[in-house]
Amino acid sequence: YTKRINIRLSAQVVAGLSAKFANPPKQIGGREIVQFIQIDGNKYLFADGSWMLFRESGTEPVVRLYAEAKSAAEVNALIDLGRKFIME
């Protein structure tokens, strides 16, 4: 299952985004990140094969969040975790 959302960002969140992506966490929402890829965005891969990808818009204060998991419930959980990660 895959899903994509746009996350609208405040100026404060935009200002901290570069630092957040430059220093990837070891986990997001208690899920261990097993691989981090910075090609065409910032992609976090998890041990169960699921992943999330953040891509910044070049024209508006938006981050596009893509997620893939083995079930609709899992992909929705990843979307929620990704949104919280960006907005922290």
Side-chain angles (χ1 to χ4, degrees), residues 10-40:
S10 67
Q12 182 180 8
V13 173
V14 170
L17 217 49
S18 295
K20 184 172 289 210
F21 289 146
N23 300 298
K26 297 196 183 294
Q27 64 177 359
I28 294 178
R31 292 178 179 240
E32 182 183 358
I33 296 167
V34 295
Q35 190 174 7
F36 173 65
I37 301 170
Q38 280 188 301
I39 298 173
D40 201 25

Side-chain angles (χ1 to χ4, degrees), residues 2-3 23 31 45 53 57-58 64 67 70-71 73 75 81:
T2 60
K3 188 170 184 176
N23 300 298
R31 292 178 179 240
L45 290 89
L53 169 70
S57 170
R64 288 172 180 75
K70 294 179 183 174
S71 73
V75 83
L81 290 174

